[in-house]
């Protein structure tokens, strides 16, 4: 392949990422937010002003970016605008940045176009039963942190890793622990430093709860175990049946991947299982956006020796 061909391929892939991200953000808005944007906007304003409900108030950083995007668009247009276009711009931007990071470290055995397309198609539908626009930012932070961990050529990689981890901790602490420890696994950190990695999001969460937003209150049950055991909410989400169908269709490849993951990357597997158990206890497992970080983790540990033809070139 010539340099010109390589440049054209990269350019086309980047353009594909941009348009897929716009589609995904726009589709998510039309599916989930269009009908109650006024109510959703009121919640956004409360969080930005520091008087929102827990736990959303503790995920403060992405809302600051969202507010800045709205401010920039207001300056460009010349008048105050509603939240629709800032939300779509925010989601499309961070989906695109996340996908750029993702395809940068994913296995060369995989077709980047299929990675981008499947992610863009999945994203709007995992917002059923609990839409959160900041899911795109969490996806970006997950991809970027794993990109750092897989890029040994980066200058100042350790400093960049911890800076990103701190920012991630003020975005969603539980996912920061999960992805941070998987990244630490890729960077071959020993147990003491892995404990430091886990401690950063925990300390950030304590800081947010006790000192920055001490008055934030929960307006829902903290423990959701009973709801998840009943399976009422899981059965009521249409994505559940898509997941079941995909698992049946690709069961052999899926089980082969888990077996190889257990053999070569047991620590990330244990972390993912622990995350699922945690969500089962204190979250709603039918809110499938909570499992979006599994995608970048999946692509970061894809075993080279596994059969990847169903995602291959």
């Amino acid at each position: 392949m010539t340099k010109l061909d390589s440049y054209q391929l990269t350019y086309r892939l980047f353009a594909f990422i941009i348009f897929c991200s716009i589609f995904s953000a726009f589709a998510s808005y039309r599916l989930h937010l269009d009908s109650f944007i006024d109510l959703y906007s009121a919640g956004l304003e409360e969080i930005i002003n520091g008087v929102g409900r827990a736990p959303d108030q503790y995920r403060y950083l992405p809302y600051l970016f969202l507010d800045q995007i709205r401010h920039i668009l207001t300056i460009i247009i010349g008048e105050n605008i509603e939240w629709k276009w800032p939300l779509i711009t925010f989601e499309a931007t961070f989906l695109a940045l996340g996908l750029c990071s993702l395809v940068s470290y994913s296995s060369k055995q995989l077709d980047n176009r299929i990675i981008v397309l499947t992610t863009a198609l999945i994203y709007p539908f995992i917002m059923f039963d609990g839409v959160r626009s900041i899911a795109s930012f969490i996806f970006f932070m997950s991809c970027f942190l794993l990109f750092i961990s897989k890029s040994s050529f980066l200058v100042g990689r350790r400093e960049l890793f911890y800076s990103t981890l701190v920012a991630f901790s003020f975005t969603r602490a539980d996912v920061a622990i999960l992805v941070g420890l998987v990244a630490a696994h890729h960077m071959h950190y020993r147990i003491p430093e892995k404990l430091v990695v886990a401690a950063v999001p925990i300390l950030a969460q304590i800081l947010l709860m006790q000192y920055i937003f001490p008055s934030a209150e929960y307006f829902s049950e903290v423990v959701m175990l009973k709801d998840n055991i009943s399976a009422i909410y899981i059965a009521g989400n249409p994505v559940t049946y898509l997941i079941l169908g995909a698992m049946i269709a690709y069961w052999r490849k899926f089980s082969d991947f888990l077996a190889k993951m257990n053999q070569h990357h047991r620590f990330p597997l244990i972390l993912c299982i622990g995350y699922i158990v945690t969500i089962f206890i204190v979250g709603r497992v039918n809110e499938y956006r909570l499992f979006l970080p599994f995608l970048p983790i999946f692509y970061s540990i894809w075993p080279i020796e596994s059969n990847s033809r169903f995602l291959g070139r």
Side-chain angles (χ1 to χ4, degrees):
M1 180 182 294
T2 65
K3 289 185 177 180
L4 179 62
D5 290 336
S6 179
Y7 171 78
Q8 289 177 342
L9 182 62
T10 303
Y11 175 80
R12 288 196 298 268
L13 177 61
F14 181 71
F16 186 53
I17 288 174
I18 295 297
F19 284 106
C20 281
S21 299
I22 294 172
F23 155 78
S24 204
F26 216 145
S28 179
Y29 181 89
R30 291 289 300 273
L31 281 172
H32 307 292
L33 292 178
D34 213 5
S35 60
F36 72 104
I37 186 60
D38 292 338
L39 180 62
Y40 191 78
S41 299
L44 291 179
E45 297 280 2
E46 290 179 351
I47 295 171
I48 291 170
N49 293 326
V51 293
R53 300 179 176 184
D56 291 315
Q57 185 62 70
Y58 304 140
R59 294 143 195 180
Y60 191 54
L61 182 62
Y63 292 101
L64 293 180
F65 281 99
L66 177 58
D67 188 44
Q68 286 303 307
I69 287 175
R70 187 190 189 193
H71 180 66
I72 292 170
L73 292 178
T74 298
I75 293 174
I76 293 173
I77 296 173
E79 60 181 21
N80 289 329
I81 59 175
E82 298 178 351
W83 278 105
K84 175 181 179 179
W85 294 113
L87 282 167
I88 292 174
T89 304
F90 173 86
E91 285 196 86
T93 299
F94 286 106
L95 278 174
L97 290 173
L99 286 169
C100 286
S101 300
L102 180 58
V103 300
S104 297
Y105 70 74
S106 59
S107 171
K108 300 305 179 185
Q109 293 184 12
L110 307 179
D111 189 333
N112 289 332
R113 295 165 298 180
I114 295 180
I115 293 176
V116 172
L117 183 61
T118 53
T119 305
L121 291 174
I122 288 170
Y123 183 83
F125 295 102
I126 61 174
M127 293 298 168
F128 280 116
D129 293 347
V131 59
R132 294 291 188 280
S133 297
I134 67 167
S136 62
F137 190 85
I138 295 170
F139 174 71
F140 160 65
M141 295 295 286
S142 301
C143 293
F144 188 63
L145 198 62
L146 289 167
F147 166 74
I148 294 170
S149 73
K150 302 285 284 186
S151 304
S152 57
F153 59 87
L154 288 175
V155 178
R157 184 168 69 140
R158 184 180 297 271
E159 291 78 9
L160 182 60
F161 171 78
Y162 277 106
S163 298
T164 305
L165 180 64
V166 170
F168 204 167
S169 301
F170 286 90
T171 300
R172 179 145 187 152
D174 55 343
V175 183
I177 294 174
L178 169 67
V179 180
L181 287 174
V182 173
H185 168 78
H186 291 312
M187 297 172 75
H188 307 291
Y189 284 179
R190 296 184 180 275
I191 292 178
E193 191 153 11
K194 286 178 179 176
L195 292 175
V196 173
V197 170
V200 170
I202 294 173
L203 292 174
Q205 185 69 17
I206 293 173
L207 186 64
L208 286 163
M209 294 176 66
Q210 300 296 325
Y211 299 100
I212 301 178
F213 303 113
S215 60
E217 297 181 11
Y218 285 87
F219 286 81
S220 60
E221 296 291 335
V222 176
V223 177
M224 303 287 188
L225 186 60
K226 184 178 180 181
D227 291 341
N228 291 321
I229 292 176
S230 69
I232 294 175
Y233 295 99
I234 298 175
N237 190 324
V239 179
T240 300
Y241 306 100
L242 177 64
I243 293 173
L244 290 174
M247 289 183 66
I248 292 172
Y250 292 102
W251 177 252
R252 183 170 296 179
K253 291 183 172 65
F254 179 67
S255 59
D256 176 64
F257 170 75
L258 289 181
K260 291 183 180 296
M261 184 176 176
N262 182 56
Q263 181 180 358
H264 299 289
H265 301 282
R266 184 170 298 173
F267 182 64
L269 178 61
I270 293 172
L271 290 172
C272 290
I273 293 172
Y275 180 80
I276 293 171
V277 172
T278 302
I279 296 299
F280 198 86
I281 296 172
V282 298
R284 287 264 177 84
V285 291
N286 58 297
E287 296 181 12
Y288 291 114
R289 62 180 169 76
L290 299 175
F291 302 100
L292 184 58
F294 280 11
L295 272 180
I297 292 174
F298 165 81
Y299 289 121
S300 76
I301 60 179
W302 184 269
I304 295 175
E305 63 271 31
S306 68
N307 183 354
S308 59
R309 286 181 297 173
F310 70 109
L311 285 173
R313 298 183 185 277

